Amino acid sequence: MLPLALAMPRTLPLAPVLLLSVLLATGCSTTAAGVRSAPAFESLRIRTEDGWSLSMRHVPAVGPVRGRPILLVPGLASGDVSLLLDEDHSLAYWLAARGREVWTVALRGTGESDRADAAMGRAPGYGFDTLWREDFRAALSTVRQRTGEDRVDVVAYSLGALLLYAYLAEDGDGIAAAVAMAGPTRLDRSEAWLVGLARVGDRVVSRDETLDMGFLSSLTAPVQAHLRGNPVERIALNTRNTPRERWKLFARSVFGQLSGGVAKDLCRMILTGRFTSSDGRRDYRAGLSRVRVPVMVMAGEGDMVATESAVRDGYLALGGPKAWRLLGTRAGLAADYGHVDVVIGDRAPYEVWAPLLDFLDRSASGRVSE
C-alpha cells in the first residue's frame, strides 16, 4: 500500500505555485484553447516502461520526404501546443511542410498524457530523471519503431533540451543529430530573481506534491491578457519578436501538472550549479564530453529564463561536432530573442527554424564542423 502522501497528492498553496510558475513554466501551454484550425495530424498513445500512457502526435511530411524523422520535445509543465500553436506559428507544421516526418510528445502530467493517480499506480513525486529515462526514451523509441529508422533527429526546447542532454550524456542511442533550444545547463547563472525564487521554492515544495498549473493559469490569464508589460510578459518574451495577441493565446491555454520532484530537482540545479541526477551520482554535464552526435545549441540574447551564459555552458561541455547560434542583435538579428520567441516569434521561421533545419540537413551529409 502506498504511503498516504503518495496516495493523496496535494495541491500547494497559491503563493508557492505563483512563484514556481514564474520560475519554471513561463510561456508553456498544454491545450489548444482558442487555437485556429491547422493541418491534420495523427494522434497516438504510447506506454512508458513504468506504466504511464503518453500522448504523441504525428504530423506527416507534405510532399516527398526529405531527411530523417524529427522528434520535438516541449518545455516544462507543458504539452506540445507550444510546438503546434496554429498553422502559421508551429515549428511542427513548418518542418512538415519542408518534407520532414514530425512527431511531438506531451510529457506525463501534461496535454492528454496521464496525470499522477496513485490509485492507478501512477504515483506523484517523480523527478527530472524519470522524464528522460521514461518519457523521452519511450517517445524516441516510438518514432524509431514507427518509421523503421535506427536513428532520428531531435529538436528539444527549454526543459526538453535538458532531457535531451541527460539522454545524450547517459546513452544517446538512436539519435542522429539534435538541436537544443534555450536549454540552460548551468542554472546558477540565471537572473538574480530566478535564483531568489528557487530558494523559496526549495523550502516550500515537497517532492511528493503536485503543482496544479491549470489552476494558476485560470487565475492569471485574464491579467496577463489585459495588462501590458506585466511581469510574466516581460520575463517570457520580447514583444519586438512576438506580438501580444499571440502571447495572449498562450496565456489563455491551460497548464498541466508539475511534479514537486521535478520542481525540487530544478531548484537544486539553480542553487548548486550542478547538472546531475536527483541523487547526485550522475553528472550529466561531465557526460556531455562523451557525446559524438552533432548538436546545435541555440540561445536567446534577451532570454530571462535561460540566459545566454547558462545555455552556452551546455555547448561548451559537448564533446562532438557542434554549432552555436545566438539569437539577437549581436548576431545581426532585428531584436534579442526571449524565451518563448524561439517557438512563436514572427521571425522565428527564418531566424530560428531555418538555421536549425539547415544544421540537421548538413549533419546528415557530414558537413558539420566544430
Side-chain angles (χ1 to χ4, degrees):
M1 183 175 179
L2 290 171
L4 182 61
L6 294 182
M8 299 182 66
R10 295 169 289 160
T11 299
L12 289 176
L14 179 59
V17 176
L18 284 169
L19 288 172
L20 283 170
S21 68
V22 176
L23 170 64
L24 302 174
T26 299
C28 299
S29 57
T30 60
T31 65
V35 176
R36 300 201 312 268
S37 62
F41 53 78
E42 173 195 7
S43 295
L44 62 150
R45 306 291 297 185
I46 66 171
R47 186 163 293 275
T48 64
E49 288 190 1
D50 64 345
W52 290 59
S53 175
L54 306 181
S55 169
M56 292 191 70
R57 304 185 202 189
H58 169 218
V59 184
V62 177
V65 174
R66 303 181 182 90
R68 296 180 292 243
I70 297 178
L71 170 64
L72 301 183
V73 187
L76 182 70
S78 69
D80 48 9
V81 166
S82 59
L83 307 172
L84 288 156
L85 188 62
D86 59 37
E87 185 173 358
D88 297 324
H89 309 101
S90 161
L91 175 57
Y93 296 135
W94 188 91
L95 290 168
R98 282 146 187 84
R100 291 296 188 112
E101 292 286 319
V102 181
W103 304 74
T104 68
V105 60
L107 304 175
R108 63 185 63 195
T110 70
E112 298 177 3
S113 294
D114 277 351
R115 265 49 173 179
D117 185 341
M120 298 296 293
R122 300 191 297 269
Y126 55 85
F128 173 85
D129 299 330
T130 297
L131 295 182
W132 78 260
R133 288 178 184 159
E134 298 290 343
D135 297 14
F136 183 94
R137 192 187 299 274
L140 181 64
S141 177
T142 297
V143 177
R144 294 171 66 189
Q145 292 173 3
R146 292 287 298 263
T147 63
E149 297 284 347
D150 288 336
R151 300 190 305 156
V152 303
D153 292 338
V154 176
V155 176
Y157 166 63
S158 193
L159 176 76
L162 297 187
L163 303 180
L164 165 67
Y165 281 143
Y167 180 80
L168 286 172
E170 290 295 300
D171 187 339
D173 184 49
I175 296 180
V179 177
M181 305 166 63
T185 57
R186 190 64 189 268
L187 282 163
D188 59 325
R189 295 177 181 171
S190 301
E191 298 277 352
W193 64 267
L194 194 55
V195 176
L197 289 178
R199 292 194 182 102
V200 175
D202 192 51
R203 289 196 301 267
V204 302
V205 176
S206 297
R207 295 195 70 90
D208 61 352
E209 298 195 84
T210 298
L211 304 177
D212 187 353
M213 308 308 289
F215 174 66
L216 169 73
S217 179
S218 66
L219 291 178
T220 62
V223 176
Q224 293 182 40
H226 293 96
L227 292 183
R228 286 177 173 268
N230 66 78
V232 174
E233 180 184 276
R234 289 200 301 270
I235 291 167
L237 72 152
N238 182 345
T239 53
R240 293 184 61 190
N241 292 317
T242 303
R244 286 188 173 89
E245 289 302 317
R246 199 166 310 137
W247 170 246
K248 290 177 184 179
L249 179 60
F250 262 58
R252 286 197 302 269
S253 300
V254 180
F255 289 90
Q257 291 181 344
L258 173 59
S259 166
V262 175
K264 291 284 283 188
D265 285 342
L266 292 175
C267 286
R268 173 183 50 80
M269 292 180 193
I270 292 174
L271 298 176
T272 66
R274 301 185 66 205
F275 181 35
T276 64
S277 59
S278 297
D279 59 12
R281 296 178 181 177
R282 291 179 173 82
D283 187 330
Y284 297 133
R285 182 183 293 110
L288 291 178
S289 65
R290 300 187 295 270
V291 174
R292 292 295 177 263
V293 302
V295 181
M296 169 177 268
V297 180
M298 311 182 97
E301 192 173 338
D303 195 329
M304 295 179 64
V305 177
T307 63
E308 177 187 343
S309 175
V311 175
R312 189 171 179 81
D313 175 75
Y315 168 77
L316 295 175
L318 286 163
K322 57 188 178 182
W324 168 257
R325 187 170 181 85
L326 181 63
L327 304 170
T329 53
R330 296 208 319 268
L333 305 186
D336 297 336
Y337 272 71
H339 197 61
V340 303
D341 302 345
V342 296
V343 290
I344 62 170
D346 272 349
R347 293 183 295 274
Y350 51 90
E351 291 183 338
V352 184
W353 306 348
L356 74 81
L357 180 58
D358 177 67
F359 173 83
L360 295 176
D361 288 341
R362 287 187 291 111
S363 73
S365 58
R367 294 184 289 115
V368 174
S369 58
E370 185 78 19

